[in-house]
Amino acid sequence: MICFFCATPYHIMLALIIKNTTMCNFKTDIIIYNHFSSASQVYKKLLSAEIFTNVYFIDENSYGLLGKIKRASHVFWPSKVIKLIAKRKRYSEIIFFSLDFLNIAYIIKEYEKCNVKCEFSYGEDGIGTYVDKKVYIPSKFVDIILYITNRRHYLDRIRKLYLSEPSLLQCNFFSTLKKIETGAVNKELDYCKKVLWPEAGNLQLNTVIYLQQPFSGIINSKVLDLERDICQICFNIFADRFLIKLHPRTKYYSNLSNQIYKDNIPFECLISNSMDENHIIISVASTAAFTPLLLYNRRPYLIFIYDLIPDYKLLYRKEFKDFLSRFEETLQYKERIFIPQSKEETVKILLGLSRKIH
């Protein structure tokens, strides 16, 4: 029996693909974390759909003081669901898309304590998986807690990684890479649209999409200033063919509010309807921009504006640029990715593309 731990709609979609391709002969359970706005509704829909043998819900997140306190308490007193998974010990493999290192280490510890054979694996968590090895390394604070609870070394048992495109991996310290068979994705995304997000229906995305991202501190204020200018430029050129897709964690956003996509539908689900080579995606450096190609083999134009933000270049990882280069070369994406060095160059790129797309 197989078990998936998921904390985002993207995780759930990839779990569905694995379940119905390489794991089609296995019974499967899924655990949903309450880390995105529609998590409880998705949990209930999965529960009634009966596609997984068991569906569990972990109602914890870091939103607000109560959420932080509740999650902190689970460091030493794991939630009922985590205790249940650790106690039953009936899985032959557990795939952790959700990188909750404290719970992951607790489960592995309990399995090994009883000498139960189970393979523990990670699942792709967006483009961070490909460019940043620290994605799979606990923060200093979490590392201290793991040390105090004598769980740190259990994470070393995880040597397998499931991902969509292994050839793009920039930093690999896994002994086994398993490709997620995204060629079968249309069937799974049809399921997601019909059952999990029926409101997606036949909704069509606008031609030009700005993917907003949440940042913090000084960088956030600089990003917001730039976004106002870039989004206004896009609106001036494309008018109502332009929209802003907010990040799932963004709660308040006032920039060009009339152009904000209001429906709470995952971007990965929306792009299955209409996105093609005549679409344009703009972002600071959103990993979702790569999803159309990795999931659907769709090839929109991509514009990344991180070089327009003062000081952001110092924070940005070299690995991301290396990833872009490999992405262009391996997947024949040259001449469809733009990284402008000024607002004037951005305007020129957008005007040029406006003449190309229908």
Side-chain angles (χ1 to χ4, degrees), residues 62-122:
S62 297
Y63 308 141
L65 180 60
L66 185 61
K68 287 181 171 65
I69 293 172
K70 186 177 180 181
R71 193 169 188 186
S73 70
H74 288 163
V75 168
F76 300 99
W77 299 280
S79 69
K80 291 180 180 179
V81 172
I82 295 298
K83 284 184 176 179
L84 177 67
I85 298 301
K87 181 181 179 181
R88 285 186 175 177
K89 301 177 180 63
R90 63 182 180 185
Y91 300 109
S92 58
E93 183 172 6
I94 301 177
I95 301 172
F96 298 103
F97 287 99
S98 173
L99 301 178
D100 188 347
F101 295 113
L102 291 165
N103 282 336
I104 291 172
Y106 173 80
I107 291 169
I108 296 175
K109 179 180 179 180
E110 291 300 306
Y111 267 70
E112 293 206 354
K113 196 192 302 184
C114 297
N115 199 28
V116 177
K117 288 186 177 180
C118 177
E119 189 169 17
F120 300 98
S121 309
Y122 285 129

Side-chain angles (χ1 to χ4, degrees), residues 223-327:
V223 169
L224 288 173
D225 289 341
L226 175 66
E227 283 181 339
R228 276 190 285 271
D229 293 341
I230 295 298
C231 289
Q232 188 62 56
I233 289 168
C234 289
F235 182 71
N236 292 342
I237 295 174
F238 298 98
D240 288 339
R241 291 198 294 164
F242 168 70
L243 69 80
I244 299 169
K245 182 71 174 74
L246 299 183
H247 190 278
R249 289 198 306 271
T250 299
K251 297 187 180 299
Y252 305 105
Y253 193 78
S254 59
N255 180 28
L256 275 176
S257 58
N258 288 337
Q259 300 309 123
I260 294 175
Y261 187 80
K262 301 297 195 300
D263 291 309
N264 189 23
I265 301 170
F267 180 67
E268 296 86 354
C269 194
L270 283 172
I271 58 181
S272 68
N273 289 335
S274 59
M275 182 162 286
D276 58 28
E277 63 183 13
N278 290 314
H279 281 74
I280 301 169
I281 296 177
I282 308 166
S283 75
V284 173
S286 173
T287 61
F290 301 100
T291 305
L293 185 69
L294 293 179
L295 282 188
Y296 301 98
N297 199 29
R298 308 282 175 82
R299 309 174 74 82
Y301 292 101
L302 306 179
I303 302 175
F304 297 107
I305 58 173
Y306 56 82
D307 273 346
L308 307 188
I309 304 169
D311 304 325
Y312 190 62
K313 282 186 279 190
L314 300 177
L315 301 175
Y316 213 71
R317 301 177 181 89
K318 173 183 178 295
E319 288 86 351
F320 185 83
K321 291 187 177 181
D322 291 341
F323 173 82
L324 280 179
S325 297
R326 186 174 292 192
F327 188 87

